[in-house]
Amino acid sequence: MIYQSNSITVAYLADGIAEFTFNAAGSVNKFDQQTLADCRAALNLLHADKNLKGVIYTSGKDAFIVGADITEFLGTFQQPEAELIPWIKSASDVFDLAEDLPVPTIAAIRGFALGGGFEWTLTADYRVADTTAKVGLPEVKLGLMPGFGGSVRLPRIIGADGGMEWITTGKERGADAALKEGAIDAVVAPEKLKDAALSMIKDAIAGKLNWQKKRASKLQPLKLNKIEAMMSFNTAKGMVFANAGKHYPAPMVAVETIEAAARLDRAGAVALENASFAKLAKTTAAAAQIGLFLNDQLIKGKAKKAAKVATKDIKKAAVLGAGIMGGGIAYQSALKGVPVVMKDIADKALELGMGEATKLLNKQVERKRLDAVGMAKVIASIQPTLSMEAVKTVDIVVEAVVENPKIKGAVLKEVEELVAADAIITSNTSTISIDSLAANLKDPSRFCGMHFFNPVHQMPLVEVIRGKDTSEETVAAVVAYAARMGKSPIVVNDCPGFYVNRVLFPYFAGFSKLVLDGADFAKVDKVMEKTFGWPMGPAYLLDVVGLDTAFHCTDVMAAGFPTRMGKVENDPVALMYQAQRYGQKNGVGFYAYSKDAKGKPKKDSDAVSYELLAKAGSTGVEFSADDIIARCMVPMINEVIRCLEEGIVASAAEADMGLIYGLGFPPFRGGPLRYADTIGLANFVALADKYAHLGEIYQVTDKTRAMAASGAVFYPV
């Protein structure tokens, strides 16, 4: 044994050939400070070993190394930028130490080698992978760039264009794709991985492979002439700006760093990478995106826990009510392996539901994510029917009929009489109280809400709404089923609008008051999209949701929160509804809609909507971008805080992810509560106070004011 610690072992495998094995105590290998220190100690011993002829890097796990332990680095990122640079340099020096071993080195990759894990393999002279390998540099998804030399080595191995594409998109590659691009040197069956690595290292030791030449190319400047460099980097910058935009700085910083380092040797290039990494680590985008990653892990962790404790195994499901929504739910369930009965009272609705499922499956086939046999299998596992008898044998029912409490209540009552006593019953409702619907059932303990978002196949969120009588066993089973469907379930407690819609309507109310005060709704949309970062501004979103749907939901919200969410006089939403302008569904709303060349809805300005609004309030008043953002966002953030204080949602993490997954809240802002932390609660309170005269939706809670006064945050590091 040459070296042994809790994370790595280094021992001779054959004559002069050392096996450097990553095998941490936990379920996966990852780089934390202790592992880096262990690597440094082991490498120093290898550098001093006169008998050493070659090194093979392996893993004792099913994955090589999944990346750096980002949770450990969060506190470090709070340091000033000038202090971060020597910290990251200390880490990247370990990778240089690995690359500088005086003997040939080979990384034997199985499973995931991502981020720092893939960067470690790039220090080796050769990389051999088995067919299970997945490699990549996903740091950009955390608002960062590679920090252990990846932006230096990968472009020198596969070329500048390929290296920049890998780094700026963060996409992982399978073994064959990575081989084709030159990122790895060989692919073998899993059982042959170690033998292949051993054979390759022996060939390198014997001089059959020119490992010195291969290594030298990583230590030198990029092989690009001035014209090639100009074309390569300008093209990359254009593509990054088009795809990432101004709100995500990491991809552009990565390109600019690679460009600046193109004429430098490894030492100079890595120094630039160190500085750029430290710069990005201090951005609000990185804090937000890292926060999203950790919040997502929390939600996934809760879903896994629910799956372990759930006493009801969901083997077959039923969706009551076909159409677009029902078809989407049935498709998602069947696609993920849970057969489903799709029941409706009309053949036309069943045809629509099956048509929706077939359309979505055809897209999967077109994108080569599914073959014809797989598609046929999914279609066969969806059973369209007019008979309620087909529902008898299912384990869970998702009621998705029209949003009418009387109709839903009658359907729920009927289905309870049919299904087994331990079958779970849920309602896909967006606003109707779960407790009021539960009154129709003899056993409300097996009933809860299961609110999907449209379009079902694209929106990750499912709100699992717990009623006052819902059992924990029911909640656990529904959370597990939603996760199995590929969704991100968040458990919320019952209240008008539940969580997502409850906080959305104050946002709409803020928008309505802004328009009545004379703002141009199109300008409001532009500011909320281009400046704040929403995928759709409020007027456009209302058109997509349906102004008739939004109008009817205002009744529910006004009844639930009469002082805070009472109906707005001359509400633009009501004006559009009364004029039968329902949005995209009938071609006119705030905007007029037509079809583009691909058949997708295209929005245009419509003079009629402006004429309607002119009769209701002021027109032609100019508002600054800051005013527009504040008047829309303060009401939403206030309501999110109230939901957290009232226990409607369990944590700041789930509150933020609910809006990111359910509404498309700008990810680079991290969610409404992360955004409040970023601007500072004291600043948020001062901003809200500026508009407090506009109504209760702008007035902060006493607890928020106390948090601001004490310097508290929603996300302590």
Side-chain angles (χ1 to χ4, degrees):
M1 185 68 65
I2 299 171
Y3 181 86
Q4 185 169 14
S5 72
N6 289 331
S7 58
I8 61 173
T9 58
V10 185
Y12 276 116
L13 183 64
D15 180 31
I17 299 172
E19 182 178 15
F20 190 120
T21 303
F22 291 93
N23 198 10
S27 59
V28 294
N29 295 320
K30 53 189 175 182
F31 280 119
D32 53 25
Q33 298 286 15
Q34 186 57 53
T35 300
L36 286 169
D38 292 344
C39 287
R40 184 190 296 275
L43 289 168
N44 282 331
L45 290 175
L46 290 173
H47 270 274
D49 191 337
K50 302 301 183 184
N51 297 315
L52 189 68
K53 296 178 182 178
V55 176
I56 299 174
Y57 299 114
T58 64
S59 168
K61 312 281 185 193
D62 290 334
F64 187 76
I65 301 172
V66 296
D69 184 356
I70 196 67
T71 59
E72 191 182 85
F73 297 152
L74 285 178
T76 306
F77 287 178
Q78 302 302 308
Q79 297 175 7
E81 187 176 325
E83 294 178 26
L84 278 177
I85 294 174
W87 170 80
I88 190 63
K89 182 183 185 304
S90 175
S92 66
D93 282 349
V94 177
F95 286 68
D96 291 351
L97 195 62
E99 189 167 50
D100 292 339
L101 282 168
V103 296
T105 56
I106 290 180
I109 308 167
R110 66 174 172 181
F112 290 107
L114 300 173
F118 185 51
E119 287 182 278
W120 187 271
T121 73
L122 295 176
T123 69
D125 301 313
Y126 295 93
R127 284 156 295 285
V128 57
D130 73 19
T131 52
T132 70
K134 299 280 187 182
V135 300
L137 296 172
E139 290 87 350
V140 69
K141 296 178 181 179
L142 298 179
L144 301 169
M145 63 177 286
F148 300 147
S151 75
V152 178
R153 295 184 177 96
L154 186 60
R156 285 158 176 77
I157 292 170
I158 67 172
D161 291 343
M164 287 187 288
E165 200 275 333
W166 280 53
I167 291 166
T168 59
T169 65
K171 293 178 182 176
E172 65 186 44
R173 264 74 167 174
D176 288 336
L179 175 66
K180 187 176 180 180
E181 294 185 64
I184 57 179
D185 301 289
V187 177
V188 297
E191 66 274 14
K192 295 180 179 178
L193 181 60
K194 186 176 281 191
D195 287 343
L198 191 58
S199 175
M200 193 177 287
I201 200 78
K202 287 178 178 177
D203 284 347
I205 293 167
K208 295 178 183 178
L209 295 174
N210 192 345
W211 60 273
Q212 294 97 335
K213 182 180 178 182
K214 210 163 188 296
R215 181 183 298 185
S217 65
K218 293 188 290 175
L219 307 179
Q220 298 166 359
L222 274 168
K223 292 178 173 61
L224 287 173
N225 63 42
K226 287 186 178 181
I227 294 176
E228 289 172 333
M230 181 183 69
M231 291 179 65
S232 181
F233 294 119
N234 286 346
T235 299
K237 288 175 186 176
M239 291 179 69
V240 165
F241 186 78
N243 291 313
K246 63 182 180 180
H247 297 303
Y248 296 90
M252 190 64 78
V253 170
V255 171
E256 290 170 346
T257 303
I258 294 168
E259 180 182 27
R263 300 283 173 228
L264 302 177
D265 62 7
R266 187 190 70 186
V270 170
L272 287 181
E273 183 190 83
N274 293 161
S276 293
F277 182 93
K279 174 184 175 183
L280 288 170
K282 298 300 295 180
T283 61
T284 57
Q289 288 175 264
I290 292 168
L292 290 189
F293 172 77
L294 297 176
N295 291 351
D296 183 65
Q297 294 298 107
L298 180 145
I299 290 169
K300 285 184 169 65
K302 285 193 170 187
K304 287 178 182 176
K305 184 178 179 181
K308 288 179 180 178
V309 302
T311 56
K312 178 67 177 176
D313 186 19
I314 307 298
K315 296 177 182 176
K316 188 176 182 181
V319 177
L320 307 183
I324 300 296
M325 177 63 82
I329 297 170
Y331 156 82
Q332 196 67 33
S333 183
L335 182 70
K336 297 298 183 179
V338 181
V340 59
V341 173
M342 185 169 63
K343 194 270 174 190
D344 205 284
I345 58 173
D347 277 322
K348 189 175 180 181
L350 290 174
E351 289 171 8
L352 185 61
M354 289 304 295
E356 177 70 7
T358 302
K359 181 185 75 175
L360 295 172
L361 286 165
N362 278 325
K363 287 183 179 177
Q364 293 283 345
V365 173
E366 287 171 14
R367 293 168 182 166
K368 301 189 186 305
R369 295 175 182 169
L370 198 67
D371 59 20
V373 174
M375 177 177 173
K377 185 178 178 182
V378 175
I379 287 288
S381 65
I382 303 175
Q383 178 189 348
T385 182
L386 297 172
S387 171
M388 191 67 99
E389 290 293 307
V391 177
K392 277 186 174 181
T393 59
V394 304
D395 301 300
I396 188 168
V397 175
V398 182
E399 170 274 303
V401 302
V402 64
E403 190 78 349
N404 179 300
K406 289 184 179 178
I407 295 173
K408 283 184 178 288
V411 170
L412 291 169
K413 187 174 183 179
E414 181 184 2
V415 80
E416 185 183 33
E417 299 296 328
L418 281 171
V419 298
D422 66 341
I424 292 167
I425 303 170
T426 72
S427 177
N428 175 47
T429 175
S430 55
T431 55
I432 301 170
S433 166
I434 293 303
D435 287 334
S436 68
L437 290 175
N440 296 281
L441 302 176
K442 294 176 183 176
D443 181 10
S445 70
R446 60 165 164 167
F447 175 69
C448 69
M450 195 176 188
H451 180 204
F452 291 84
F453 291 75
N454 204 21
V456 175
H457 68 286
Q458 289 183 342
M459 302 302 286
L461 182 67
V462 170
E463 277 185 303
V464 177
I465 305 109
R466 181 197 287 114
K468 63 182 176 63
D469 296 315
T470 306
S471 71
E472 288 306 311
E473 290 83 0
T474 295
V475 170
V478 175
V479 166
Y481 174 53
R484 188 173 171 186
M485 291 175 77
K487 298 302 176 184
S488 296
I490 291 175
V491 179
V492 301
N493 285 318
D494 190 27
C495 70
F498 316 132
Y499 171 59
V500 174
N501 281 334
R502 173 174 162 179
V503 304
L504 178 61
F505 276 85
Y507 171 77
F508 283 153
F511 161 72
S512 290
K513 291 181 179 183
L514 191 57
V515 171
L516 291 175
D517 285 346
D520 179 348
F521 66 81
K523 182 182 177 181
V524 173
D525 273 2
K526 185 176 180 181
V527 167
M528 297 310 292
E529 291 168 6
K530 303 297 183 185
T531 304
F532 192 78
W534 282 100
M536 301 178 192
Y540 189 21
L541 179 59
L542 281 160
D543 276 0
V544 171
V545 168
L547 288 152
D548 53 340
T549 301
F551 176 77
H552 291 304
C553 286
T554 57
D555 290 334
V556 175
M557 304 312 294
F561 308 100
T563 62
R564 192 162 68 252
M565 297 190 207
K567 291 197 173 184
V568 176
E569 187 178 354
N570 291 327
D571 186 356
V573 173
L575 295 175
M576 295 295 166
Y577 170 74
Q578 290 155 5
Q580 296 185 330
R581 299 175 69 89
Y582 302 149
Q584 277 190 1
K585 64 179 67 176
N586 73 340
V588 285
F590 283 97
Y591 300 95
Y593 293 88
S594 57
K595 296 287 180 70
D596 65 15
K598 295 181 179 179
K600 294 182 179 179
K602 174 177 169 289
K603 67 181 174 73
D604 297 295
S605 180
D606 189 354
V608 177
S609 62
Y610 282 100
E611 290 169 9
L612 281 170
L613 295 172
K615 296 174 184 177
S618 302
T619 59
V621 178
E622 287 294 323
F623 291 88
S624 70
D626 287 345
D627 278 339
I628 289 171
I629 291 169
R631 289 190 59 169
C632 290
M633 291 309 305
V634 167
M636 173 179 274
I637 295 169
N638 272 338
E639 202 63 33
V640 171
I641 293 171
R642 287 188 179 96
C643 285
L644 187 62
E645 290 180 7
E646 294 171 17
I648 299 302
V649 63
S651 66
E654 288 158 289
D656 279 349
M657 297 309 286
L659 295 202
I660 286 167
Y661 285 156
L663 294 179
F665 192 98
F668 68 90
R669 297 196 186 277
L673 298 179
R674 176 78 65 180
Y675 174 63
D677 275 357
T678 299
I679 62 176
L681 274 184
N683 292 329
F684 172 74
V685 168
L687 186 65
D689 287 347
K690 178 181 175 182
Y691 299 100
H693 64 283
L694 294 175
E696 192 177 341
I697 58 174
Y698 289 93
Q699 294 161 14
V700 302
T701 67
D702 291 341
K703 187 174 180 181
T704 306
R705 201 173 293 279
M707 284 179 68
S710 66
V713 293
F714 292 107
Y715 286 98
V717 176

